[in-house]
Short mmCIF file of all heavy atoms in Angstrom, two decimals:
data_model
loop_
_atom_site.label_atom_id
_atom_site.label_comp_id
_atom_site.label_asym_id
_atom_site.label_seq_id
_atom_site.Cartn_x
_atom_site.Cartn_y
_atom_site.Cartn_z
N PHE A 16 7.53 19.81 5.81
CA PHE A 16 7.08 18.53 5.26
C PHE A 16 7.27 18.54 3.75
O PHE A 16 6.89 19.49 3.07
CB PHE A 16 5.61 18.29 5.60
CG PHE A 16 5.06 17.04 4.97
CD1 PHE A 16 5.42 15.79 5.45
CD2 PHE A 16 4.19 17.12 3.89
CE1 PHE A 16 4.94 14.63 4.86
CE2 PHE A 16 3.69 15.97 3.29
CZ PHE A 16 4.06 14.72 3.78
N ASP A 17 7.89 17.45 3.25
CA ASP A 17 8.08 17.32 1.81
C ASP A 17 6.98 16.41 1.27
O ASP A 17 6.96 15.21 1.55
CB ASP A 17 9.46 16.70 1.54
CG ASP A 17 9.78 16.62 0.05
OD1 ASP A 17 8.82 16.57 -0.75
OD2 ASP A 17 10.96 16.60 -0.30
N PRO A 18 6.01 16.96 0.53
CA PRO A 18 4.86 16.16 0.08
C PRO A 18 5.21 15.07 -0.91
O PRO A 18 4.42 14.16 -1.14
CB PRO A 18 3.92 17.19 -0.55
CG PRO A 18 4.78 18.34 -0.89
CD PRO A 18 5.93 18.35 0.06
N GLU A 19 6.39 15.15 -1.54
CA GLU A 19 6.75 14.11 -2.51
C GLU A 19 7.40 12.91 -1.83
O GLU A 19 7.07 11.77 -2.10
CB GLU A 19 7.69 14.67 -3.59
CG GLU A 19 8.18 13.56 -4.52
CD GLU A 19 8.41 14.01 -5.94
OE1 GLU A 19 7.85 15.03 -6.35
OE2 GLU A 19 9.16 13.32 -6.64
N THR A 20 8.31 13.18 -0.91
CA THR A 20 9.02 12.07 -0.27
C THR A 20 8.40 11.65 1.06
O THR A 20 8.71 10.58 1.58
CB THR A 20 10.48 12.46 0.02
OG1 THR A 20 10.48 13.55 0.96
CG2 THR A 20 11.21 12.88 -1.25
N GLY A 21 7.55 12.51 1.63
CA GLY A 21 6.95 12.20 2.93
C GLY A 21 7.90 12.48 4.08
O GLY A 21 7.59 12.18 5.23
N ASN A 22 9.08 13.03 3.79
CA ASN A 22 10.04 13.32 4.87
C ASN A 22 9.65 14.61 5.59
O ASN A 22 9.11 15.53 4.98
CB ASN A 22 11.45 13.49 4.30
CG ASN A 22 11.99 12.19 3.75
OD1 ASN A 22 11.61 11.12 4.20
ND2 ASN A 22 12.85 12.27 2.75
N SER A 23 9.95 14.64 6.89
CA SER A 23 9.71 15.88 7.62
C SER A 23 10.96 16.28 8.40
O SER A 23 11.77 15.42 8.76
CB SER A 23 8.51 15.74 8.55
OG SER A 23 8.66 14.63 9.39
N PHE A 24 11.12 17.57 8.62
CA PHE A 24 12.30 18.12 9.29
C PHE A 24 11.85 19.24 10.22
O PHE A 24 10.76 19.78 10.04
CB PHE A 24 13.27 18.76 8.27
CG PHE A 24 13.50 17.94 7.04
CD1 PHE A 24 12.66 18.08 5.93
CD2 PHE A 24 14.53 17.02 6.99
CE1 PHE A 24 12.87 17.32 4.79
CE2 PHE A 24 14.75 16.25 5.85
CZ PHE A 24 13.92 16.40 4.75
N THR A 25 12.72 19.58 11.16
CA THR A 25 12.46 20.81 11.91
C THR A 25 13.69 21.72 11.78
O THR A 25 14.82 21.22 11.72
CB THR A 25 12.22 20.54 13.41
OG1 THR A 25 13.27 19.73 13.92
CG2 THR A 25 10.89 19.86 13.65
N VAL A 26 13.43 22.98 11.70
CA VAL A 26 14.55 23.94 11.64
C VAL A 26 14.31 25.02 12.71
O VAL A 26 13.17 25.24 13.13
CB VAL A 26 14.67 24.64 10.26
CG1 VAL A 26 15.16 23.69 9.20
CG2 VAL A 26 13.36 25.29 9.84
N ASN A 27 15.41 25.65 13.15
CA ASN A 27 15.25 26.73 14.13
C ASN A 27 14.88 28.03 13.40
O ASN A 27 14.73 28.04 12.17
CB ASN A 27 16.51 26.88 15.01
CG ASN A 27 17.73 27.24 14.17
OD1 ASN A 27 17.62 27.66 13.02
ND2 ASN A 27 18.90 27.06 14.75
N LYS A 28 14.79 29.09 14.18
CA LYS A 28 14.34 30.38 13.64
C LYS A 28 15.25 30.85 12.49
O LYS A 28 14.77 31.33 11.46
CB LYS A 28 14.39 31.40 14.79
CG LYS A 28 13.48 32.56 14.63
CD LYS A 28 13.51 33.37 15.92
CE LYS A 28 13.06 34.79 15.64
NZ LYS A 28 13.29 35.67 16.80
N THR A 29 16.56 30.66 12.68
CA THR A 29 17.50 31.10 11.64
C THR A 29 17.33 30.27 10.38
O THR A 29 17.32 30.79 9.25
CB THR A 29 18.97 30.97 12.15
OG1 THR A 29 19.03 31.36 13.51
CG2 THR A 29 19.91 31.78 11.31
N GLY A 30 17.18 28.93 10.58
CA GLY A 30 16.99 28.04 9.43
C GLY A 30 15.75 28.41 8.65
O GLY A 30 15.75 28.44 7.42
N LEU A 31 14.68 28.71 9.40
CA LEU A 31 13.41 29.08 8.77
C LEU A 31 13.59 30.38 7.95
O LEU A 31 13.10 30.49 6.82
CB LEU A 31 12.36 29.28 9.87
CG LEU A 31 10.92 29.44 9.42
CD1 LEU A 31 10.46 28.22 8.64
CD2 LEU A 31 10.02 29.64 10.64
N PHE A 32 14.33 31.30 8.54
CA PHE A 32 14.60 32.58 7.89
C PHE A 32 15.35 32.34 6.55
O PHE A 32 14.98 32.88 5.51
CB PHE A 32 15.46 33.44 8.85
CG PHE A 32 15.74 34.82 8.35
CD1 PHE A 32 14.79 35.83 8.52
CD2 PHE A 32 16.94 35.12 7.72
CE1 PHE A 32 15.05 37.13 8.07
CE2 PHE A 32 17.20 36.41 7.27
CZ PHE A 32 16.26 37.42 7.44
N ILE A 33 16.37 31.48 6.62
CA ILE A 33 17.17 31.21 5.41
C ILE A 33 16.33 30.50 4.35
O ILE A 33 16.36 30.87 3.16
CB ILE A 33 18.43 30.38 5.75
CG1 ILE A 33 19.33 31.13 6.72
CG2 ILE A 33 19.21 30.01 4.48
CD1 ILE A 33 20.51 30.35 7.27
N ILE A 34 15.56 29.50 4.78
CA ILE A 34 14.74 28.76 3.81
C ILE A 34 13.74 29.68 3.11
O ILE A 34 13.56 29.63 1.89
CB ILE A 34 14.00 27.58 4.49
CG1 ILE A 34 14.99 26.44 4.69
CG2 ILE A 34 12.81 27.10 3.66
CD1 ILE A 34 14.41 25.12 5.07
N ASN A 35 13.11 30.54 3.89
CA ASN A 35 12.14 31.46 3.28
C ASN A 35 12.81 32.39 2.27
O ASN A 35 12.25 32.70 1.23
CB ASN A 35 11.41 32.25 4.37
CG ASN A 35 10.33 31.41 5.02
OD1 ASN A 35 9.73 30.54 4.36
ND2 ASN A 35 10.09 31.61 6.30
N MET A 36 14.04 32.81 2.58
CA MET A 36 14.76 33.68 1.63
C MET A 36 15.14 32.92 0.36
O MET A 36 15.06 33.43 -0.75
CB MET A 36 16.00 34.28 2.29
CG MET A 36 15.63 35.32 3.34
SD MET A 36 16.91 36.52 3.63
CE MET A 36 16.88 37.53 2.18
N LEU A 37 15.53 31.64 0.56
CA LEU A 37 15.87 30.82 -0.62
C LEU A 37 14.65 30.64 -1.52
O LEU A 37 14.74 30.71 -2.74
CB LEU A 37 16.37 29.43 -0.18
CG LEU A 37 17.78 29.37 0.43
CD1 LEU A 37 18.03 27.98 1.02
CD2 LEU A 37 18.84 29.69 -0.63
N LYS A 38 13.49 30.46 -0.86
CA LYS A 38 12.25 30.30 -1.64
C LYS A 38 11.92 31.56 -2.43
O LYS A 38 11.29 31.51 -3.48
CB LYS A 38 11.08 29.93 -0.71
CG LYS A 38 11.12 28.47 -0.30
CD LYS A 38 9.96 28.10 0.59
CE LYS A 38 8.67 28.03 -0.20
NZ LYS A 38 7.56 27.50 0.63
N GLU A 39 12.34 32.70 -1.86
CA GLU A 39 12.09 33.96 -2.57
C GLU A 39 13.10 34.19 -3.69
O GLU A 39 13.07 35.20 -4.38
CB GLU A 39 12.16 35.13 -1.58
CG GLU A 39 10.97 35.22 -0.65
CD GLU A 39 11.23 36.17 0.51
OE1 GLU A 39 12.12 37.04 0.39
OE2 GLU A 39 10.56 36.02 1.55
N GLY A 40 14.06 33.27 -3.82
CA GLY A 40 15.03 33.36 -4.91
C GLY A 40 16.26 34.19 -4.55
O GLY A 40 17.03 34.58 -5.43
N LYS A 41 16.45 34.46 -3.26
CA LYS A 41 17.62 35.27 -2.86
C LYS A 41 18.90 34.43 -2.94
O LYS A 41 18.88 33.22 -2.72
CB LYS A 41 17.45 35.76 -1.41
CG LYS A 41 16.16 36.52 -1.17
CD LYS A 41 16.23 37.91 -1.76
CE LYS A 41 15.12 38.78 -1.21
NZ LYS A 41 14.33 39.43 -2.20
N ASP A 42 20.03 35.09 -3.21
CA ASP A 42 21.29 34.35 -3.26
C ASP A 42 22.02 34.47 -1.91
O ASP A 42 21.55 35.15 -0.99
CB ASP A 42 22.16 34.81 -4.43
CG ASP A 42 22.58 36.27 -4.32
OD1 ASP A 42 22.47 36.83 -3.20
OD2 ASP A 42 23.00 36.84 -5.34
N VAL A 43 23.19 33.82 -1.82
CA VAL A 43 23.91 33.76 -0.55
C VAL A 43 24.22 35.16 -0.01
O VAL A 43 24.03 35.43 1.18
CB VAL A 43 25.21 32.92 -0.72
CG1 VAL A 43 26.05 32.99 0.54
CG2 VAL A 43 24.86 31.48 -1.04
N GLU A 44 24.67 36.03 -0.90
CA GLU A 44 25.02 37.40 -0.48
C GLU A 44 23.82 38.10 0.17
O GLU A 44 23.95 38.71 1.23
CB GLU A 44 25.51 38.22 -1.69
CG GLU A 44 26.95 37.95 -2.08
CD GLU A 44 27.92 38.20 -0.92
OE1 GLU A 44 27.73 39.18 -0.18
OE2 GLU A 44 28.84 37.38 -0.73
N ASP A 45 22.66 37.98 -0.49
CA ASP A 45 21.43 38.61 0.05
C ASP A 45 21.12 38.05 1.43
O ASP A 45 20.74 38.78 2.35
CB ASP A 45 20.22 38.30 -0.85
CG ASP A 45 20.36 38.92 -2.23
OD1 ASP A 45 21.07 39.93 -2.33
OD2 ASP A 45 19.75 38.38 -3.18
N ILE A 46 21.25 36.73 1.54
CA ILE A 46 20.87 36.08 2.81
C ILE A 46 21.82 36.50 3.93
O ILE A 46 21.37 36.83 5.04
CB ILE A 46 20.87 34.54 2.64
CG1 ILE A 46 19.81 34.12 1.61
CG2 ILE A 46 20.58 33.85 3.97
CD1 ILE A 46 19.86 32.67 1.18
N VAL A 47 23.12 36.53 3.63
CA VAL A 47 24.11 36.93 4.65
C VAL A 47 23.82 38.36 5.10
O VAL A 47 23.79 38.67 6.30
CB VAL A 47 25.55 36.79 4.09
CG1 VAL A 47 26.56 37.45 5.03
CG2 VAL A 47 25.89 35.31 3.90
N GLU A 48 23.56 39.19 4.15
CA GLU A 48 23.24 40.59 4.43
C GLU A 48 22.01 40.69 5.35
O GLU A 48 22.04 41.39 6.37
CB GLU A 48 22.95 41.28 3.07
CG GLU A 48 22.65 42.75 3.14
CD GLU A 48 23.90 43.58 3.43
OE1 GLU A 48 24.98 43.18 2.96
OE2 GLU A 48 23.77 44.59 4.16
N ALA A 49 20.97 39.95 4.97
CA ALA A 49 19.73 39.99 5.75
C ALA A 49 19.93 39.43 7.16
O ALA A 49 19.37 39.95 8.13
CB ALA A 49 18.65 39.19 5.02
N LEU A 50 20.75 38.39 7.27
CA LEU A 50 20.99 37.79 8.58
C LEU A 50 21.69 38.78 9.52
O LEU A 50 21.37 38.87 10.70
CB LEU A 50 21.88 36.54 8.44
CG LEU A 50 21.16 35.22 8.10
CD1 LEU A 50 22.19 34.11 7.87
CD2 LEU A 50 20.20 34.80 9.21
N THR A 51 22.67 39.52 8.97
CA THR A 51 23.39 40.48 9.82
C THR A 51 22.47 41.61 10.27
O THR A 51 22.65 42.18 11.33
CB THR A 51 24.62 41.08 9.08
OG1 THR A 51 24.17 41.66 7.86
CG2 THR A 51 25.68 40.04 8.82
N GLU A 52 21.46 41.90 9.45
CA GLU A 52 20.52 42.95 9.82
C GLU A 52 19.49 42.45 10.83
O GLU A 52 19.12 43.14 11.77
CB GLU A 52 19.79 43.47 8.58
CG GLU A 52 20.65 44.42 7.76
CD GLU A 52 20.04 44.69 6.39
OE1 GLU A 52 18.83 44.43 6.20
OE2 GLU A 52 20.78 45.14 5.50
N GLU A 53 19.05 41.21 10.62
CA GLU A 53 17.95 40.65 11.44
C GLU A 53 18.43 40.14 12.80
O GLU A 53 17.73 40.27 13.79
CB GLU A 53 17.29 39.52 10.65
CG GLU A 53 16.04 38.95 11.26
CD GLU A 53 14.84 39.87 11.09
OE1 GLU A 53 14.88 40.78 10.22
OE2 GLU A 53 13.88 39.69 11.83
N PHE A 54 19.60 39.49 12.80
CA PHE A 54 20.10 38.90 14.03
C PHE A 54 21.40 39.59 14.46
O PHE A 54 22.07 40.22 13.65
CB PHE A 54 20.37 37.40 13.83
CG PHE A 54 19.16 36.63 13.39
CD1 PHE A 54 18.93 36.37 12.04
CD2 PHE A 54 18.23 36.16 14.31
CE1 PHE A 54 17.81 35.67 11.62
CE2 PHE A 54 17.10 35.46 13.89
CZ PHE A 54 16.88 35.21 12.54
N GLU A 55 21.76 39.41 15.72
CA GLU A 55 23.01 40.02 16.20
C GLU A 55 24.18 39.12 15.82
O GLU A 55 24.62 38.29 16.61
CB GLU A 55 22.94 40.21 17.71
CG GLU A 55 22.06 41.35 18.11
CD GLU A 55 21.99 41.53 19.61
OE1 GLU A 55 22.79 40.92 20.33
OE2 GLU A 55 21.11 42.29 20.04
N VAL A 56 24.62 39.26 14.60
CA VAL A 56 25.66 38.38 14.12
C VAL A 56 26.52 39.14 13.10
O VAL A 56 26.01 39.98 12.35
CB VAL A 56 25.01 37.12 13.49
CG1 VAL A 56 24.12 37.46 12.33
CG2 VAL A 56 26.04 36.09 13.07
N ASP A 57 27.84 38.87 13.12
CA ASP A 57 28.67 39.57 12.14
C ASP A 57 28.66 38.82 10.82
O ASP A 57 28.22 37.69 10.74
CB ASP A 57 30.10 39.82 12.67
CG ASP A 57 30.84 38.52 12.95
OD1 ASP A 57 30.62 37.54 12.21
OD2 ASP A 57 31.62 38.47 13.93
N ARG A 58 29.21 39.46 9.81
CA ARG A 58 29.16 38.94 8.44
C ARG A 58 29.85 37.57 8.31
O ARG A 58 29.33 36.65 7.67
CB ARG A 58 29.85 39.96 7.53
CG ARG A 58 29.48 39.78 6.10
CD ARG A 58 30.24 40.70 5.18
NE ARG A 58 30.54 39.96 3.99
CZ ARG A 58 29.64 39.59 3.09
NH1 ARG A 58 28.39 39.93 3.24
NH2 ARG A 58 29.99 38.89 2.03
N GLU A 59 30.99 37.45 8.97
CA GLU A 59 31.76 36.21 8.88
C GLU A 59 30.98 35.01 9.44
O GLU A 59 30.88 33.95 8.84
CB GLU A 59 33.07 36.39 9.64
CG GLU A 59 34.11 35.34 9.28
CD GLU A 59 35.35 35.49 10.17
OE1 GLU A 59 35.57 36.60 10.69
OE2 GLU A 59 36.05 34.50 10.34
N GLU A 60 30.38 35.26 10.61
CA GLU A 60 29.61 34.19 11.25
C GLU A 60 28.36 33.84 10.43
O GLU A 60 28.00 32.67 10.27
CB GLU A 60 29.22 34.63 12.66
CG GLU A 60 28.76 33.45 13.52
CD GLU A 60 28.36 33.89 14.93
OE1 GLU A 60 28.70 35.03 15.33
OE2 GLU A 60 27.68 33.10 15.59
N ALA A 61 27.72 34.88 9.91
CA ALA A 61 26.52 34.66 9.09
C ALA A 61 26.86 33.84 7.85
O ALA A 61 26.14 32.90 7.49
CB ALA A 61 25.92 36.00 8.68
N MET A 62 28.00 34.17 7.22
CA MET A 62 28.42 33.43 6.03
C MET A 62 28.67 31.95 6.37
O MET A 62 28.25 31.05 5.64
CB MET A 62 29.70 34.08 5.47
CG MET A 62 30.28 33.37 4.24
SD MET A 62 29.12 33.37 2.85
CE MET A 62 29.58 34.88 2.03
N ARG A 63 29.33 31.74 7.52
CA ARG A 63 29.62 30.37 7.93
C ARG A 63 28.31 29.59 8.17
O ARG A 63 28.14 28.46 7.74
CB ARG A 63 30.47 30.40 9.21
CG ARG A 63 31.15 29.07 9.48
CD ARG A 63 32.18 29.16 10.58
NE ARG A 63 31.63 29.71 11.81
CZ ARG A 63 32.11 30.78 12.45
NH1 ARG A 63 33.17 31.40 11.98
NH2 ARG A 63 31.56 31.23 13.57
#
Side-chain angles (χ1 to χ4, degrees):
Chain A
F16 175 73
D17 184 335
E19 174 147 339
T20 63
N22 293 332
S23 54
F24 316 89
T25 51
V26 289
N27 62 16
K28 204 173 159 190
T29 321
L31 190 59
F32 184 83
I33 299 173
I34 282 192
N35 282 329
M36 289 205 72
L37 287 170
K38 283 181 73 173
E39 287 166 22
K41 305 285 195 233
D42 63 17
V43 173
E44 280 303 320
D45 295 334
I46 297 170
V47 169
E48 182 73 34
L50 275 175
T51 56
E52 282 168 18
E53 187 76 17
F54 302 95
E55 285 180 11
V56 60
D57 62 35
R58 199 185 142 70
E59 197 185 336
E60 195 180 345
M62 178 61 91
R63 197 169 55 235

